[in-house]
Amino acid sequence: PAADDERASISGRCLSAQTGEPLKSVDVQLNAAGGHSFRQGTLSAADGTFSFQHLPPDTYYLNVEKAGYLSAADVRPLRLGRNQSRTSIEIKLNRAAAVTGRVTGPDDLPAAGAEVAAYRFIWIDGRRTVSRAGSATADDRGVYRIFDLESGRYVIGASMPPDDRPQGELDASSTRAFYPNGTKPAEAASLEVRWGQEITDINLAFQAQPTFWVSGVVADAETGGPCHVCVVSATSVDEPYGFQNRQFTVAPDGSYRIRGLTPGSYRVTAIKPEAGRHILSSRIVTLADENIRDVYLIVGISHTVTGRVVLDSPPGGLEKTGMSVIFFLPGGRSRPLIARVGEGLSFQAPGLSPETYRVSLLSPPPGGYLKSVRLAGRDLPAPEIDVPEQGDLSQLELVVGFDGATLSGQVKLPDESDNQGHHVTAAVIALFPEENQSPFVVRLRASAAAAGGFTITAIPPGSYAVFAFSPPWRNEWDDPDVRRSFQNYGKTLDLGAGKKETVELALVPVSSEPQ
């Protein structure tokens, strides 16, 4: 018989998140997080049930897998004491979506070998961009199928693998095509995908089009010679989604050529890969009706930015905190540089390239927020600085304000039967700045505490739309077009300096989908 301390158990059911029906043959794995190694697995029965018996006291996690489904399980730990049982656990799985279609060339023949990708919309630094979520290779008929997709909005694009080229040369055109009939990302239409859908006839056709090239040399300012280890890329600054083109290594003499570019403006960037440092150089070029030569890039020029943090009317008894200033390039073109704030609230950030950086403050004092950024005593319109080609930058001031607003409230889960609702404990509270706000008014997130209550302090004064979402966070919630589909669950608040507001929010249902 089992020992006295090994009579605990865990049991539950696996269900479809869309229909609520039981799911059989789900692979359920139980893992212990405590001081001993423990793992058990089982398959759910025809009625979706599963159970684990004779368990020693410990903290456990459940992992589930089923072909064609994506887990929506609650990943919170399950703590078991002696002889304790956890029953009626429901694990809901979403049926994955798929997109299928055909790719053809300019001659209407199958484009065998074409790579088709589904790019999901995300928001970075307040700008809508895309992230590759899945891909497939077209077969000899030009047919492709991208599966295991989550619910959301996608852009579907196709490209042909580039031909083999000498080092230092890239064919960036990749014979690109975007659904429904575009050749540029800006011409792509978004495709709404629901859980469990199989969307067919998403066909793409490559089109013949004139292209041009950009060439030049990358020099290394640190060695005085060519940067033979540098990688180069060209990214369109005209299209709205921030597609990242391929990077490639320059030739041994530092030369490069990027072929297959359609008319438009591009940021040509060279990066010297070196761990922990920001070593890059970029130039914006515009292609009209001819090639561009001699785009000269010098990598390795770096400057130091010095400044201090200014506390504007701080409260009494404020303790020093471990603040840091973060410098990062929009679009994620390089790793952020973090400068620690030291004695006298001063900081020094060496190794910044001649680029435009966004600036933020990590771990401000309790009750403080980034209120403004000043350079040589002048307020900047946004938390951005331009590092010059020549010389260092000094007298940068990050002003921390302590007159932020406070928002408290309660989250309710609507009850469709009586429309009264009850309180919940798991929610993400999100504040989105209304349009035309100051760049210092930023999106904020917090978690509901026990009984669904929450309090958010140090909110930069401004107007916000406030929502309560079910965790985990979904990237598309950053999209204003998506939020409009469940705007009835949100509230618009004017949170002035020092204002204290209380609000009750209805939790956006998990089943809510953008319409």
Side-chain angles (χ1 to χ4, degrees):
D4 288 343
D5 63 349
E6 293 187 0
R7 293 176 182 168
S9 64
I10 292 174
S11 61
R13 287 200 308 162
C14 296
L15 305 171
S16 166
Q18 281 65 58
T19 66
E21 296 178 351
L23 296 176
K24 68 176 182 178
S25 300
V26 177
D27 183 8
V28 185
Q29 296 289 331
L30 181 69
N31 298 278
H36 68 281
S37 176
F38 181 94
R39 181 173 182 175
Q40 281 189 9
T42 187
L43 294 177
S44 62
D47 61 354
T49 58
F50 65 89
S51 69
F52 297 93
Q53 305 293 324
H54 307 304
L55 300 175
D58 209 325
T59 298
Y60 294 91
Y61 291 89
L62 288 170
N63 297 309
V64 297
E65 287 186 3
K66 183 175 175 62
Y69 286 82
L70 300 174
S71 173
D74 189 341
V75 296
R76 287 179 295 182
L78 301 172
R79 296 180 177 86
L80 289 182
R82 292 184 59 185
N83 302 327
Q84 184 180 8
S85 294
R86 297 290 298 270
T87 62
S88 303
I89 296 171
E90 289 190 350
I91 299 180
K92 296 182 179 180
L93 291 89
N94 289 302
R95 178 178 284 278
V99 174
T100 67
R102 187 168 182 263
V103 189
T104 56
D107 51 8
D108 203 33
L109 294 176
E115 181 185 33
V116 187
Y119 302 91
R120 190 172 188 180
F121 285 111
I122 61 173
W123 282 66
I124 299 178
D125 303 332
R127 181 190 179 198
R128 184 169 67 173
T129 183
V130 290
S131 175
R132 181 181 292 225
S135 63
T137 301
D139 63 17
D140 60 332
R141 302 165 297 167
V143 176
Y144 73 91
R145 184 176 187 269
I146 306 173
F147 56 94
D148 278 353
L149 294 177
E150 298 182 5
S151 173
R153 295 197 298 164
Y154 293 86
V155 167
I156 309 299
S159 62
M160 290 299 295
D163 298 333
D164 291 335
R165 300 284 177 180
Q167 184 177 342
E169 187 168 323
L170 173 72
D171 185 354
S173 67
S174 301
T175 322
R176 301 178 79 178
F178 292 89
Y179 177 79
N181 52 17
T183 59
K184 298 180 180 180
E187 299 169 345
S190 63
L191 184 68
E192 192 72 49
V193 177
R194 309 289 191 192
W195 288 114
Q197 273 190 312
E198 177 95 12
I199 301 180
T200 60
D201 296 327
I202 304 302
N203 302 322
L204 302 102
F206 295 126
Q207 302 176 24
Q209 54 184 321
T211 60
F212 303 94
W213 49 261
V214 173
S215 66
V217 175
V218 182
D220 189 338
E222 297 178 312
T223 65
C227 185
H228 56 85
V229 298
C230 279
V231 294
V232 178
S233 65
T235 303
S236 172
V237 299
D238 299 326
E239 54 87 6
Y241 299 143
F243 279 86
Q244 295 296 316
N245 286 346
R246 291 182 174 89
Q247 293 182 338
F248 66 103
T249 305
V250 301
D253 62 357
S255 65
Y256 69 90
R257 183 165 70 157
I258 307 172
R259 302 177 54 187
L261 299 173
T262 56
S265 295
Y266 296 85
R267 181 184 294 276
V268 181
T269 302
I271 299 177
K272 180 181 179 181
E274 189 165 315
R277 297 186 61 193
H278 289 237
I279 308 179
L280 75 161
S281 177
S282 69
R283 282 181 57 185
I284 293 179
V285 299
T286 300
L287 289 165
D289 53 7
E290 61 181 4
N291 303 318
I292 297 180
R293 299 173 174 82
D294 301 326
V295 179
Y296 193 63
L297 300 169
I298 304 178
V299 173
I301 297 177
S302 64
H303 300 295
T304 299
V305 173
T306 58
R308 66 190 184 107
V309 174
V310 177
L311 304 183
D312 185 9
S313 302
L318 182 67
E319 296 182 0
K320 291 184 178 181
T321 59
M323 289 184 286
S324 297
V325 181
I326 304 177
F327 300 84
F328 60 97
L329 294 172
R333 289 184 290 131
S334 182
R335 290 189 296 271
L337 188 146
I338 301 176
R340 182 179 174 275
V341 177
E343 292 295 327
L345 298 182
S346 64
F347 62 85
Q348 185 176 58
L352 293 173
S353 301
E355 296 280 345
T356 298
Y357 288 87
R358 290 187 65 86
V359 183
S360 65
L361 188 63
L362 180 65
S363 300
Y369 68 95
L370 182 59
K371 185 175 184 178
S372 63
V373 176
R374 296 197 294 244
L375 183 61
R378 179 177 61 87
D379 284 333
L380 300 180
E384 294 183 348
I385 61 168
D386 292 318
V387 177
E389 291 281 350
Q390 303 291 332
D392 296 331
L393 198 65
S394 60
Q395 302 183 59
L396 182 67
E397 294 180 329
L398 276 65
V399 181
V400 177
F402 294 88
D403 60 346
T406 299
L407 179 64
S408 301
Q410 193 80 38
V411 181
K412 291 174 52 178
L413 180 63
D415 187 324
E416 295 181 358
S417 61
D418 58 14
N419 201 31
Q420 294 300 312
H422 60 273
H423 298 303
V424 298
T425 57
V428 177
I429 315 302
L431 285 75
F432 300 95
E434 294 285 90
E435 293 183 358
N436 302 319
Q437 296 286 302
S438 162
F440 293 91
V441 179
V442 296
R443 188 204 71 191
L444 298 173
R445 284 192 293 180
S447 298
F454 65 89
T455 298
I456 306 173
T457 60
I459 302 172
S463 296
Y464 297 85
V466 185
F467 292 86
F469 297 109
S470 297
W473 180 261
R474 290 171 57 182
N475 285 322
E476 59 263 32
W477 289 335
D478 281 310
D479 190 335
D481 292 336
V482 173
R483 293 198 301 272
R484 289 190 190 98
S485 66
F486 36 73
Q487 60 185 350
N488 291 338
Y489 294 94
K491 300 257 179 103
T492 300
L493 303 175
D494 185 10
L495 301 176
K499 187 175 182 178
K500 296 183 178 180
E501 185 83 33
T502 302
V503 65
E504 187 175 73
L505 296 172
L507 187 72
V508 177
V510 175
S511 59
S512 291
E513 295 284 354
Q515 302 296 325

